[in-house]
Amino acid sequence: MSVIPRTFRRLMVNRVSHKFRDVCSIESVPTPLLKDHEMLIRNRFVGINASDVNFSAGRYDPNIKPPFTCGFEGVGEVVQKGPLVRLPVNQPVAYMSYGAFGEYQIIKEKEALPLPDLKKEYLTLLVSGLTAGISLEKTGEIKAGETVLVTAAAGGTGQFAVQLAKLAGCHVIGTCSSPSKVKLLKELGCDRVINYNEEKLGQVLKAEYPKGVDVVYESVGGTMFDDCVNNLAQHGRLIVIGYISGYQTEKGFNISRTSSSLPQRLLPKCASVRGFFLFGFPKEVKPMAMKLFSLYSTNQLKCLVDNGTHSETGPFIGLESIFDAVDYLYTKKSEGKIVVEIPHPHHSKL
Protein backbone atom coordinates (compact mmCIF):
# COMPACT_ATOMS: atom_id res chain seq x y z
CA MET A 1 0.00 0.00 0.00
CA SER A 2 1.32 3.46 -0.96
CA VAL A 3 2.34 5.86 1.79
CA ILE A 4 0.59 9.20 1.30
CA PRO A 5 2.82 12.23 1.94
CA ARG A 6 1.67 15.15 4.07
CA THR A 7 3.04 17.55 1.44
CA PHE A 8 4.12 17.37 -2.19
CA ARG A 9 5.72 19.67 -4.75
CA ARG A 10 4.13 21.28 -7.79
CA LEU A 11 4.73 24.16 -10.19
CA MET A 12 2.93 27.43 -9.53
CA VAL A 13 2.52 30.45 -11.80
CA ASN A 14 3.28 33.49 -9.64
CA ARG A 15 2.53 36.24 -12.15
CA VAL A 16 0.92 36.34 -15.57
CA SER A 17 3.38 36.22 -18.48
CA HIS A 18 4.34 34.12 -21.51
CA LYS A 19 7.87 33.88 -20.06
CA PHE A 20 7.21 30.53 -18.42
CA ARG A 21 10.60 30.06 -16.74
CA ASP A 22 10.53 33.53 -15.20
CA VAL A 23 7.06 33.36 -13.69
CA CYS A 24 6.87 29.77 -12.41
CA SER A 25 8.36 28.24 -9.29
CA ILE A 26 8.29 24.91 -7.47
CA GLU A 27 6.45 25.03 -4.15
CA SER A 28 5.52 22.52 -1.49
CA VAL A 29 1.83 22.31 -0.64
CA PRO A 30 -0.19 20.23 1.84
CA THR A 31 -1.82 17.10 0.46
CA PRO A 32 -5.55 17.88 0.65
CA LEU A 33 -8.24 15.54 1.89
CA LEU A 34 -10.15 13.79 -0.88
CA LYS A 35 -13.84 14.25 -1.60
CA ASP A 36 -16.10 11.28 -2.30
CA HIS A 37 -15.40 11.00 -6.04
CA GLU A 38 -11.78 12.17 -6.04
CA MET A 39 -8.52 10.27 -6.45
CA LEU A 40 -4.92 11.14 -5.64
CA ILE A 41 -2.66 10.32 -8.59
CA ARG A 42 1.08 9.92 -8.26
CA ASN A 43 2.39 11.28 -11.54
CA ARG A 44 4.90 9.24 -13.54
CA PHE A 45 4.87 11.28 -16.77
CA VAL A 46 3.62 14.75 -17.69
CA GLY A 47 3.32 16.28 -21.15
CA ILE A 48 4.77 19.51 -22.49
CA ASN A 49 2.57 21.58 -24.78
CA ALA A 50 3.14 24.76 -26.77
CA SER A 51 0.20 26.29 -24.92
CA ASP A 52 1.89 25.97 -21.53
CA VAL A 53 3.15 29.52 -22.17
CA ASN A 54 -0.35 30.64 -23.19
CA PHE A 55 -1.73 29.33 -19.93
CA SER A 56 0.94 31.07 -17.83
CA ALA A 57 0.17 34.24 -19.82
CA GLY A 58 -3.51 34.03 -18.85
CA ARG A 59 -4.62 33.88 -22.48
CA TYR A 60 -7.15 31.10 -21.89
CA ASP A 61 -8.68 32.79 -18.87
CA PRO A 62 -8.13 36.57 -18.76
CA ASN A 63 -9.69 36.68 -15.29
CA ILE A 64 -7.31 34.20 -13.70
CA LYS A 65 -5.32 35.57 -10.79
CA PRO A 66 -1.94 34.19 -9.68
CA PRO A 67 -0.78 32.12 -8.04
CA PHE A 68 -2.27 29.21 -9.99
CA THR A 69 -1.20 25.72 -11.05
CA CYS A 70 -0.18 24.71 -14.57
CA GLY A 71 0.27 21.68 -16.81
CA PHE A 72 -2.50 19.99 -18.81
CA GLU A 73 -1.94 16.23 -18.76
CA GLY A 74 -0.41 13.33 -16.91
CA VAL A 75 -0.05 9.58 -16.60
CA GLY A 76 0.27 7.99 -13.20
CA GLU A 77 -1.27 5.62 -10.69
CA VAL A 78 -4.03 5.89 -8.13
CA VAL A 79 -2.51 5.96 -4.64
CA GLN A 80 -5.54 7.07 -2.65
CA LYS A 81 -9.24 7.40 -3.41
CA GLY A 82 -12.45 8.78 -2.03
CA PRO A 83 -15.11 6.40 -0.63
CA LEU A 84 -17.25 6.44 -3.80
CA VAL A 85 -14.43 5.83 -6.30
CA ARG A 86 -14.68 2.47 -8.07
CA LEU A 87 -11.18 2.29 -9.57
CA PRO A 88 -8.72 0.38 -7.36
CA VAL A 89 -5.57 1.74 -5.75
CA ASN A 90 -2.49 1.18 -7.99
CA GLN A 91 -4.64 1.47 -11.14
CA PRO A 92 -2.66 3.20 -13.93
CA VAL A 93 -4.57 6.14 -15.42
CA ALA A 94 -4.20 8.96 -17.90
CA TYR A 95 -5.90 12.30 -17.34
CA MET A 96 -6.24 15.86 -18.62
CA SER A 97 -6.61 18.34 -15.78
CA TYR A 98 -5.16 21.78 -15.04
CA GLY A 99 -2.35 21.51 -12.51
CA ALA A 100 -0.64 18.39 -13.86
CA PHE A 101 2.87 19.77 -13.28
CA GLY A 102 3.31 18.23 -9.85
CA GLU A 103 4.42 15.10 -8.05
CA TYR A 104 0.76 14.34 -7.34
CA GLN A 105 -2.55 15.49 -8.78
CA ILE A 106 -6.11 15.23 -7.51
CA ILE A 107 -8.70 14.39 -10.17
CA LYS A 108 -12.29 13.25 -10.24
CA GLU A 109 -12.89 9.63 -11.19
CA LYS A 110 -14.82 10.71 -14.30
CA GLU A 111 -11.66 12.48 -15.55
CA ALA A 112 -9.58 9.30 -15.41
CA LEU A 113 -8.82 7.12 -18.42
CA PRO A 114 -7.83 3.67 -17.08
CA LEU A 115 -4.71 2.19 -18.69
CA PRO A 116 -3.40 -1.37 -18.93
CA ASP A 117 0.04 -0.24 -17.77
CA LEU A 118 2.19 2.82 -17.05
CA LYS A 119 3.69 3.77 -20.42
CA LYS A 120 4.75 7.25 -21.46
CA GLU A 121 3.37 6.54 -24.94
CA TYR A 122 -0.18 6.80 -23.59
CA LEU A 123 0.50 10.38 -22.55
CA THR A 124 1.22 11.35 -26.16
CA LEU A 125 -2.33 10.35 -27.06
CA LEU A 126 -3.95 12.84 -24.68
CA VAL A 127 -3.78 16.53 -25.66
CA SER A 128 -1.72 15.85 -28.79
CA GLY A 129 -3.44 12.71 -30.05
CA LEU A 130 -6.95 13.84 -29.14
CA THR A 131 -6.47 17.22 -30.81
CA ALA A 132 -5.48 15.49 -34.06
CA GLY A 133 -8.15 12.80 -33.89
CA ILE A 134 -11.14 14.94 -32.98
CA SER A 135 -10.26 17.96 -35.12
CA LEU A 136 -9.61 15.98 -38.30
CA GLU A 137 -12.85 14.07 -37.86
CA LYS A 138 -15.22 16.73 -36.52
CA THR A 139 -13.76 20.01 -37.75
CA GLY A 140 -11.82 19.01 -40.85
CA GLU A 141 -14.31 16.34 -41.91
CA ILE A 142 -11.58 14.49 -43.81
CA LYS A 143 -12.56 11.91 -46.43
CA ALA A 144 -10.67 9.14 -48.18
CA GLY A 145 -8.89 10.38 -51.29
CA GLU A 146 -8.45 13.96 -50.08
CA THR A 147 -5.13 15.78 -49.82
CA VAL A 148 -4.22 16.80 -46.27
CA LEU A 149 -1.42 19.21 -45.35
CA VAL A 150 0.01 19.00 -41.82
CA THR A 151 2.24 21.84 -40.61
CA ALA A 152 4.82 21.14 -37.87
CA ALA A 153 4.20 17.54 -38.83
CA ALA A 154 7.02 16.04 -36.75
CA GLY A 155 5.77 17.62 -33.53
CA GLY A 156 3.71 16.24 -30.68
CA THR A 157 0.34 16.55 -32.40
CA GLY A 158 1.52 16.69 -36.02
CA GLN A 159 2.78 13.10 -35.83
CA PHE A 160 -0.77 11.92 -35.14
CA ALA A 161 -2.40 14.12 -37.76
CA VAL A 162 -0.11 12.53 -40.35
CA GLN A 163 -0.85 8.97 -39.27
CA LEU A 164 -4.59 9.41 -38.77
CA ALA A 165 -4.98 11.09 -42.15
CA LYS A 166 -3.12 8.19 -43.76
CA LEU A 167 -5.33 5.69 -41.95
CA ALA A 168 -8.34 7.58 -43.33
CA GLY A 169 -7.06 7.04 -46.88
CA CYS A 170 -5.73 10.54 -47.55
CA HIS A 171 -2.68 11.81 -49.42
CA VAL A 172 -0.58 13.55 -46.75
CA ILE A 173 1.88 16.43 -47.06
CA GLY A 174 3.97 17.33 -44.01
CA THR A 175 6.15 20.34 -43.26
CA CYS A 176 9.21 20.27 -41.01
CA SER A 177 12.53 22.01 -40.37
CA SER A 178 15.37 19.46 -40.63
CA PRO A 179 16.62 16.42 -42.57
CA SER A 180 16.15 14.15 -39.55
CA LYS A 181 12.50 15.18 -39.36
CA VAL A 182 12.12 14.51 -43.09
CA LYS A 183 13.29 10.96 -42.44
CA LEU A 184 10.95 10.59 -39.47
CA LEU A 185 7.92 11.78 -41.43
CA LYS A 186 8.63 9.44 -44.31
CA GLU A 187 8.73 6.58 -41.81
CA LEU A 188 5.32 7.71 -40.52
CA GLY A 189 3.91 7.46 -44.03
CA CYS A 190 4.01 11.06 -45.31
CA ASP A 191 3.59 11.08 -49.08
CA ARG A 192 5.40 14.41 -49.54
CA VAL A 193 7.64 16.03 -46.94
CA ILE A 194 8.62 19.69 -47.26
CA ASN A 195 11.60 20.94 -45.27
CA TYR A 196 10.76 24.64 -45.30
CA ASN A 197 14.42 25.52 -44.69
CA GLU A 198 15.29 23.98 -48.04
CA GLU A 199 12.08 24.47 -50.06
CA LYS A 200 9.49 27.23 -50.10
CA LEU A 201 6.12 25.83 -49.09
CA GLY A 202 4.04 28.15 -51.28
CA GLN A 203 6.09 27.37 -54.38
CA VAL A 204 5.96 23.60 -53.82
CA LEU A 205 2.20 23.61 -53.33
CA LYS A 206 1.52 25.70 -56.43
CA ALA A 207 3.80 23.53 -58.58
CA GLU A 208 2.88 20.08 -57.29
CA TYR A 209 -0.70 20.62 -56.08
CA PRO A 210 -2.18 23.12 -58.55
CA LYS A 211 -5.74 22.23 -57.51
CA GLY A 212 -4.90 23.02 -53.90
CA VAL A 213 -5.18 20.99 -50.70
CA ASP A 214 -8.48 19.83 -49.27
CA VAL A 215 -7.67 20.00 -45.55
CA VAL A 216 -4.92 21.82 -43.65
CA TYR A 217 -3.99 20.94 -40.07
CA GLU A 218 -2.33 24.22 -39.09
CA SER A 219 -0.50 24.99 -35.86
CA VAL A 220 2.19 27.51 -36.82
CA GLY A 221 0.50 30.75 -37.87
CA GLY A 222 2.12 33.78 -39.50
CA THR A 223 3.51 33.23 -42.99
CA MET A 224 2.84 29.49 -42.77
CA PHE A 225 -0.86 30.24 -42.33
CA ASP A 226 -0.74 32.61 -45.31
CA ASP A 227 0.75 29.94 -47.59
CA CYS A 228 -1.89 27.47 -46.47
CA VAL A 229 -4.80 29.86 -47.08
CA ASN A 230 -3.46 30.71 -50.53
CA ASN A 231 -3.34 27.04 -51.51
CA LEU A 232 -6.72 25.76 -50.37
CA ALA A 233 -8.70 23.71 -52.86
CA GLN A 234 -12.35 24.23 -53.77
CA HIS A 235 -14.34 23.55 -50.59
CA GLY A 236 -11.03 23.39 -48.70
CA ARG A 237 -11.00 23.45 -44.89
CA LEU A 238 -8.18 24.94 -42.85
CA ILE A 239 -8.19 23.84 -39.21
CA VAL A 240 -6.47 26.29 -36.87
CA ILE A 241 -5.29 24.25 -33.87
CA GLY A 242 -2.69 26.84 -32.86
CA TYR A 243 -0.26 29.54 -33.96
CA ILE A 244 2.93 28.67 -32.13
CA SER A 245 5.09 31.14 -34.05
CA GLY A 246 3.57 33.95 -31.98
CA TYR A 247 3.16 32.37 -28.56
CA GLN A 248 6.39 33.81 -27.17
CA THR A 249 5.46 37.38 -28.08
CA GLU A 250 3.59 39.90 -25.95
CA LYS A 251 0.49 39.71 -28.17
CA GLY A 252 0.62 35.92 -28.44
CA PHE A 253 0.30 35.84 -32.22
CA ASN A 254 1.96 37.04 -35.42
CA ILE A 255 -0.12 39.14 -37.79
CA SER A 256 -1.14 37.32 -40.95
CA ARG A 257 -0.75 39.07 -44.30
CA THR A 258 -3.92 37.41 -45.55
CA SER A 259 -6.18 38.27 -42.61
CA SER A 260 -7.53 41.52 -44.07
CA SER A 261 -8.38 39.83 -47.39
CA LEU A 262 -9.53 36.50 -45.96
CA PRO A 263 -13.18 36.81 -47.08
CA GLN A 264 -12.14 37.50 -50.67
CA ARG A 265 -9.75 34.53 -50.65
CA LEU A 266 -12.24 32.06 -49.19
CA LEU A 267 -15.49 33.02 -50.90
CA PRO A 268 -14.64 32.10 -54.54
CA LYS A 269 -13.43 28.68 -53.41
CA CYS A 270 -16.28 28.04 -50.97
CA ALA A 271 -13.42 27.39 -48.55
CA SER A 272 -13.33 27.91 -44.80
CA VAL A 273 -11.01 28.53 -41.86
CA ARG A 274 -12.17 26.68 -38.75
CA GLY A 275 -10.88 27.03 -35.22
CA PHE A 276 -10.41 24.01 -32.95
CA PHE A 277 -9.89 23.94 -29.18
CA LEU A 278 -9.83 20.52 -27.57
CA PHE A 279 -11.71 21.49 -24.41
CA GLY A 280 -14.63 22.60 -26.57
CA PHE A 281 -15.35 18.94 -27.41
CA PRO A 282 -15.78 17.27 -24.00
CA LYS A 283 -18.18 14.55 -25.20
CA GLU A 284 -15.76 13.36 -27.87
CA VAL A 285 -12.74 12.95 -25.57
CA LYS A 286 -13.34 9.49 -24.09
CA PRO A 287 -14.56 7.79 -27.29
CA MET A 288 -11.61 9.16 -29.25
CA ALA A 289 -9.17 8.27 -26.47
CA MET A 290 -10.39 4.67 -26.53
CA LYS A 291 -10.00 4.61 -30.31
CA LEU A 292 -6.43 5.96 -30.11
CA PHE A 293 -5.46 3.59 -27.30
CA SER A 294 -6.74 0.71 -29.42
CA LEU A 295 -4.82 1.85 -32.51
CA TYR A 296 -1.64 2.08 -30.43
CA SER A 297 -2.11 -1.31 -28.73
CA THR A 298 -2.67 -2.98 -32.12
CA ASN A 299 0.45 -1.33 -33.64
CA GLN A 300 -1.53 0.80 -36.08
CA LEU A 301 -0.33 4.04 -34.51
CA LYS A 302 3.21 5.02 -33.53
CA CYS A 303 3.68 7.26 -30.50
CA LEU A 304 6.94 9.17 -30.79
CA VAL A 305 8.31 10.41 -27.46
CA ASP A 306 11.08 12.99 -27.01
CA ASN A 307 12.58 13.07 -23.53
CA GLY A 308 15.16 15.68 -24.50
CA THR A 309 16.90 13.71 -27.23
CA HIS A 310 18.47 16.78 -28.85
CA SER A 311 18.68 18.93 -25.73
CA GLU A 312 21.87 19.66 -23.81
CA THR A 313 19.85 19.44 -20.59
CA GLY A 314 18.09 16.15 -21.40
CA PRO A 315 16.87 13.65 -20.45
CA PHE A 316 13.99 15.47 -18.78
CA ILE A 317 13.49 13.93 -15.35
CA GLY A 318 11.87 15.63 -12.37
CA LEU A 319 9.86 18.82 -11.88
CA GLU A 320 12.95 20.99 -12.28
CA SER A 321 13.39 19.81 -15.86
CA ILE A 322 9.94 21.08 -16.92
CA PHE A 323 11.44 24.54 -17.42
CA ASP A 324 14.07 23.15 -19.79
CA ALA A 325 11.47 21.02 -21.56
CA VAL A 326 9.24 24.04 -22.28
CA ASP A 327 12.24 25.95 -23.64
CA TYR A 328 13.24 22.92 -25.72
CA LEU A 329 9.87 22.84 -27.46
CA TYR A 330 10.57 26.28 -28.92
CA THR A 331 14.02 25.36 -30.30
CA LYS A 332 12.37 23.40 -33.16
CA LYS A 333 14.69 20.49 -32.35
CA SER A 334 12.15 18.19 -30.72
CA GLU A 335 10.75 15.20 -32.59
CA GLY A 336 7.43 13.81 -31.40
CA LYS A 337 5.86 14.59 -28.06
CA ILE A 338 8.02 16.07 -25.30
CA VAL A 339 7.48 14.11 -22.10
CA VAL A 340 8.94 14.68 -18.64
CA GLU A 341 9.39 11.74 -16.30
CA ILE A 342 8.41 12.34 -12.68
CA PRO A 343 10.31 9.87 -10.47
CA HIS A 344 9.06 8.72 -7.08
CA PRO A 345 9.10 11.95 -5.02
CA HIS A 346 11.90 12.17 -2.49
CA HIS A 347 11.16 15.71 -1.32
CA SER A 348 7.59 15.13 -0.15
CA LYS A 349 7.14 14.98 3.60
CA LEU A 350 5.61 11.81 4.99
Side-chain angles (χ1 to χ4, degrees):
M1 186 173 178
S2 300
V3 178
I4 309 304
R6 289 188 289 109
T7 66
F8 67 92
R9 300 189 309 151
R10 67 184 182 191
L11 260 66
M12 299 294 292
V13 180
N14 300 305
R15 60 186 175 88
V16 173
S17 171
H18 65 279
K19 297 180 180 180
F20 187 86
R21 181 185 291 273
D22 294 343
V23 300
C24 294
S25 63
I26 299 174
E27 300 181 8
S28 292
V29 295
T31 304
L33 296 175
L34 298 178
K35 297 178 182 178
D36 287 350
H37 293 279
E38 290 182 336
M39 306 182 297
L40 182 66
I41 308 300
R42 184 170 70 198
N43 283 330
R44 291 296 188 90
F45 305 102
V46 295
I48 304 299
N49 293 281
S51 285
D52 287 325
V53 303
N54 285 338
F55 194 71
S56 68
R59 291 170 183 155
Y60 291 158
D61 183 0
N63 297 316
I64 197 167
K65 303 295 182 185
F68 54 87
T69 58
C70 53
F72 299 131
E73 58 188 340
V75 163
E77 56 198 343
V78 179
V79 293
Q80 191 180 41
K81 61 178 188 172
L84 299 182
V85 172
R86 292 164 295 177
L87 288 175
V89 170
N90 298 323
Q91 169 69 50
V93 296
Y95 67 87
M96 293 187 299
S97 175
Y98 294 135
F101 287 163
E103 294 170 330
Y104 292 83
Q105 171 73 323
I106 291 177
I107 64 171
K108 296 177 181 178
E109 184 176 23
K110 65 180 182 181
E111 297 173 323
L113 297 167
L115 301 174
D117 45 38
L118 280 170
K119 284 186 177 180
K120 54 185 175 291
E121 284 78 9
Y122 286 113
L123 189 140
T124 70
L125 297 169
L126 297 178
V127 172
S128 295
L130 289 167
T131 294
I134 298 172
S135 70
L136 287 175
E137 184 178 300
K138 300 295 183 181
T139 308
E141 301 174 296
I142 60 171
K143 306 174 189 68
E146 290 190 315
T147 297
V148 176
L149 168 62
V150 181
T151 63
T157 189
Q159 62 168 319
F160 296 116
V162 168
Q163 295 179 81
L164 293 171
K166 286 299 296 180
L167 286 171
C170 298
H171 177 94
V172 180
I173 310 163
T175 72
C176 65
S177 60
S178 70
S180 64
K181 292 182 181 181
V182 170
K183 180 176 181 293
L184 180 154
L185 289 173
K186 288 180 177 178
E187 292 172 351
L188 290 181
C190 241
D191 298 290
R192 176 65 163 98
V193 184
I194 302 171
N195 178 349
Y196 57 76
N197 287 321
E198 296 180 358
E199 300 181 275
K200 291 187 177 181
L201 175 61
Q203 292 180 1
V204 171
L205 294 177
K206 288 188 186 302
E208 299 182 22
Y209 301 90
K211 293 184 179 180
V213 294
D214 300 298
V215 177
V216 182
Y217 186 80
E218 218 295 272
S219 61
V220 178
T223 58
M224 185 75 75
F225 174 84
D226 294 336
D227 284 335
C228 294
V229 167
N230 289 334
N231 289 278
L232 282 172
Q234 286 292 124
H235 301 283
R237 292 89 71 198
L238 190 156
I239 315 166
V240 177
I241 64 115
Y243 31 93
I244 188 175
S245 64
Y247 287 174
Q248 290 189 306
T249 66
E250 290 298 329
K251 289 183 178 180
F253 62 92
N254 289 325
I255 296 174
S256 162
R257 296 193 313 271
T258 60
S259 59
S260 61
S261 59
L262 199 57
Q264 294 92 329
R265 294 172 189 271
L266 297 177
L267 189 148
K269 295 181 177 180
C270 301
S272 58
V273 174
R274 309 175 179 187
F276 177 86
F277 188 60
L278 178 59
F279 297 103
F281 290 81
K283 293 181 180 179
E284 283 79 11
V285 166
K286 283 200 173 183
M288 182 57 70
M290 295 302 104
K291 176 181 177 179
L292 296 176
F293 292 169
S294 176
L295 288 171
Y296 167 65
S297 64
T298 54
N299 299 315
Q300 297 179 72
L301 200 61
K302 295 180 181 178
C303 299
L304 305 180
V305 174
D306 191 331
N307 189 231
T309 305
H310 303 289
S311 171
E312 294 179 358
T313 57
F316 299 136
I317 300 174
L319 294 183
E320 291 82 2
S321 69
I322 290 175
F323 302 100
D324 291 332
V326 171
D327 288 344
Y328 177 54
L329 189 149
Y330 285 90
T331 65
K332 299 184 180 180
K333 295 179 181 179
S334 60
E335 297 178 357
K337 176 77 175 186
I338 301 175
V339 174
V340 175
E341 180 181 350
I342 307 298
H344 192 287
H346 299 291
H347 303 276
S348 302
K349 293 184 178 180
L350 301 177

